[in-house]
């Protein structure tokens, strides 16, 4: 399972860098102020909601991975304990 760990980290690292666009969005919002039409704002809200949903999915996936790894660690500790006896 330790051989899979670097592979697990690589996709997460790349997906994080692709998603780090917050500063660009906040700069755009600050420069244009309230002069944006409501249609543009609605599209932006929808885009942010989709991004939030993706982030929540990613968070849930990472939480599940962490739980699975914790369970595996517990099982391996039990196995080591049995072997030591």
């Amino acid at each position: 399972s330790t051989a899979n760990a670097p592979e697990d980290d690589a996709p997460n690292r790349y997906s994080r860098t692709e998603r780090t666009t917050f500063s660009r969005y906040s700069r755009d919002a600050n420069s244009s102020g309230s002069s944006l039409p409501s249609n543009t704002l609605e599209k932006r809200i929808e885009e942010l909601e989709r991004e939030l949903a993706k982030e929540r999915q990613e968070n849930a996936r990472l939480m599940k991975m962490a739980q699975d790894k914790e369970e595996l660690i517990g099982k391996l500790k039990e196995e080591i304990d049995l072997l030591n006896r």
Side-chain angles (χ1 to χ4, degrees), residues 2-38:
T2 54
N4 291 339
E7 293 174 8
D8 289 345
D9 291 342
N12 295 335
R13 183 172 53 246
Y14 292 125
S15 62
R16 273 190 216 112
T17 54
E18 290 171 4
R19 292 180 312 210
T20 54
T21 54
F22 175 77
S23 61
R24 177 172 57 93
Y25 291 142
S26 68
R27 184 171 56 246
D28 291 346
N30 289 337
S31 65
S32 53
S34 62
S35 63
L36 290 173
S38 66

